[in-house]
Amino acid sequence: MEYRKLGNTELELSTITYGAFAIGGNMWGGNEKADSIASVQASIDHGVTTIDTAPFYGFGLSEEMIGEALKSHDRSKVQLLTKFGLVWDGSNNRKGDFFFDADDNGKKIPIYKYASKTNVIKEIEESLKRLQTDYIDLLQIHWPDTTTPISETMEAAETLIQQGKIRAFGVSNYSTEQIKEAQKTIKIASDQVAYSMLNRKIEAELIPFTMSENIGIIAYSPMERGLLTGKYFTDGKLKDNDHRNGYFNQFDLQKVKTLVEELTSLAHAKEISLSQLVLRWTTLQKGISIVLAGARNAEQAISNANAMSFDLSASELEFIDQAISKLK
């Protein structure tokens, strides 16, 4: 495993970071608790020291399972990243920006983006309890909330740093202009944004800006929620309540299939999996600090961790770039 300093912080994070969205179950067709906990523990056993989660993932379940999984590990050697600002409980769900209706075992739950100072303080206490810890290494606002002044949210984060409840503060899904506004109040450590072979929009403006400001980029959905594993072009089947049934339709699937086939040939030649090839490529892209990789069981977790066990040569990177260029 390789470890990288995050932006302007003292945090040393594992380049492959455990992404805990899928183990929450909601939007992913459910989960198996024992497998989920085993995946967290296997990640740590194979060098992944950083775990990224959020209250929304499983409506608290993801954080709870991570807290349980870490009972037998040295907390000081694990970096916990979580978020706030997506609310679904009855007390807040008429405030903020309506986001979407989430599916929870067939029941529609309205989700709002809400980042008032009161809500930030409320959510951090709930997360600390679920994660069974007394501090968070990196707290992030999950999505921008246009109904709350950015300065108010950032002031709440500054208070939490002073209280020792968080070590650093980052944003997620923020634009360059939103980061500039946030930095008037607090030093931003990172921006967590979508980035993959199929989605490289941040390369144009965001990455040059964050590199100039020494702000880390945390890349999520590098495998496009499993699409770039290739299995959904063969025998992969999704449950009816899996959000990816609609998510995958945003792409030209025939072109993606061609890309997957070309990259699979290189993966086979290197005796690695396609997933490992995709993850390793992502870690090598300019301006990317760490890469999130989800896992539903120990086998997937170990495979993700081993994505750092090999290198890609200049000629191999050129081959990959040429294959990606055909998507246009």
Side-chain angles (χ1 to χ4, degrees):
M1 184 54 62
E2 179 182 311
Y3 304 90
R4 297 177 180 175
K5 188 169 175 288
L6 184 67
N8 49 48
T9 75
E10 295 304 314
L11 297 177
E12 292 279 346
L13 309 182
S14 53
T15 303
I16 297 296
T17 287
Y18 183 95
F21 186 7
I23 65 168
N26 64 313
M27 297 175 61
W28 293 83
N31 77 312
E32 294 293 335
K33 183 177 179 180
D35 286 344
S36 298
I37 292 175
S39 70
V40 175
Q41 294 173 330
S43 294
I44 295 173
D45 291 343
H46 287 78
V48 174
T49 62
T50 312
I51 301 171
D52 178 87
T53 184
F56 170 68
Y57 302 160
F59 303 113
L61 180 60
S62 176
E63 288 186 328
E64 289 174 358
M65 288 191 293
I66 290 168
E68 186 172 339
L70 295 182
K71 282 182 179 179
S72 58
H73 293 271
D74 184 345
R75 171 68 180 90
S76 67
K77 295 181 180 179
V78 177
Q79 302 85 47
L80 286 177
L81 285 50
T82 194
K83 309 177 189 75
F84 67 88
L86 289 189
V87 299
W88 66 89
D89 60 10
S91 62
N92 276 335
N93 67 9
R94 293 296 177 186
K95 298 177 182 178
D97 288 321
F98 174 74
F99 195 12
F100 68 104
D101 285 320
D103 179 270
D104 183 27
N105 294 317
K107 180 182 179 182
K108 287 188 180 295
I109 307 290
I111 307 299
Y112 286 75
K113 294 180 281 189
Y114 187 49
S116 72
K117 183 175 182 178
T118 301
N119 188 63
V120 177
I121 303 303
K122 170 180 176 291
E123 286 203 54
I124 187 67
E125 295 301 330
E126 293 171 344
S127 289
L128 289 172
K129 183 177 180 180
R130 286 191 289 255
L131 289 164
Q132 301 183 47
T133 186
D134 56 4
Y135 71 96
I136 301 298
D137 294 277
L138 178 71
L139 181 66
Q140 306 155 92
I141 179 171
H142 207 148
W143 285 88
D145 164 26
T146 65
T147 70
T148 302
I150 288 177
S151 60
E152 178 182 335
T153 306
M154 300 306 130
E155 286 167 6
E158 185 67 46
T159 297
L160 292 172
I161 290 177
Q162 293 169 357
Q163 293 175 343
K165 292 181 179 179
I166 66 175
R167 293 179 64 193
F169 182 77
V171 296
S172 188
N173 301 300
Y174 258 42
S175 67
T176 298
E177 291 306 312
Q178 288 166 329
I179 294 175
K180 289 178 179 178
E181 182 64 28
Q183 293 232 106
K184 293 177 181 178
T185 306
I186 191 173
K187 186 171 286 188
I188 299 299
S190 57
D191 191 5
Q192 183 175 147
V193 285
Y195 181 74
S196 74
M197 291 178 172
L198 309 183
N199 177 12
R200 302 175 70 175
K201 297 174 185 176
I202 64 170
E203 293 178 351
E205 179 182 352
L206 185 62
I207 284 183
F209 171 74
T210 54
M211 290 183 69
S212 69
E213 294 290 316
N214 195 18
I215 294 171
I217 287 289
I218 300 175
Y220 73 77
S221 293
M223 292 188 288
E224 287 299 353
R225 311 190 187 193
L227 184 60
L228 287 175
T229 66
K231 67 180 180 180
Y232 297 105
F233 292 111
T234 52
D235 59 355
K237 291 182 174 60
L238 298 171
K239 294 182 179 179
D240 291 342
N241 60 344
D242 193 313
H243 77 289
R244 291 174 293 176
N245 285 301
Y247 181 86
F248 289 163
N249 291 332
Q250 68 181 291
F251 304 108
D252 185 328
L253 294 178
Q254 187 54 53
K255 287 185 177 181
V256 176
K257 184 179 180 182
T258 299
L259 171 65
V260 163
E261 291 170 349
E262 290 194 46
L263 296 184
T264 297
S265 66
L266 175 58
H268 284 170
K270 292 181 69 66
E271 298 183 340
I272 58 175
S273 71
L274 177 58
S275 297
Q276 290 171 328
L277 179 67
V278 171
L279 287 175
R280 189 67 175 114
W281 175 90
T282 310
T283 69
L284 295 171
Q285 299 312 294
K286 187 176 181 180
I288 301 299
S289 302
I290 62 174
V291 178
L292 303 189
R296 286 176 171 260
N297 53 52
E299 181 182 4
Q300 291 176 356
I302 294 169
S303 175
N304 291 342
N306 287 337
M308 296 301 295
S309 65
F310 61 91
D311 291 316
L312 292 173
S313 67
S315 61
E316 288 169 338
L317 287 169
E318 182 179 357
F319 173 84
I320 294 171
D321 287 341
Q322 288 179 349
I324 293 171
S325 70
K326 297 174 186 177
L327 291 168
K328 299 177 181 178

